Amino acid sequence: MLRKRWEPLEKRTIGKAPEAYGYYELGDANGELVGRGVGVLRDELKEALAYGDGERVRWERATSLEHAERIAAEHDPK
């Protein structure tokens, strides 16, 4: 899991997300991991908000899709 602080999954937070590839984690109200993924961060987070996939979010920006996938593999909670 990422060692970053959770932020609320809301429009204001999504507005701060870059239009770039990255790895993200979704959490519930207690900060428990409920989902994760890779993709263009702002697009992915808009979709997560629309579908109610989590209440909190944190992410790490990547330089490419392949880089985002490597970050995801490094943070796999297995």
Side-chain angles (χ1 to χ4, degrees):
M1 294 187 350
L2 292 173
R3 295 179 187 230
K4 295 185 176 192
R5 194 170 58 107
W6 289 108
E7 296 190 48
L9 181 58
E10 57 189 29
K11 287 182 182 182
R12 183 175 61 218
T13 303
I14 294 169
K16 295 188 296 183
E19 289 272 353
Y21 286 108
Y23 164 72
Y24 64 92
E25 294 177 340
L26 301 171
D28 65 13
N30 297 317
E32 295 294 321
L33 185 67
V34 297
R36 52 196 295 272
V38 297
V40 176
L41 289 168
R42 193 170 295 174
D43 295 341
E44 293 288 322
L45 300 182
K46 283 179 184 177
E47 188 172 319
L49 179 63
Y51 286 101
D53 292 340
E55 295 182 45
R56 298 177 184 213
V57 65
R58 55 190 175 194
W59 66 79
E60 186 170 331
R61 184 182 180 143
T63 57
S64 66
L65 179 57
E66 293 79 16
H67 182 210
E69 290 170 343
R70 285 195 307 271
I71 295 169
E74 292 171 6
H75 292 90
D76 189 350
K78 293 183 183 181

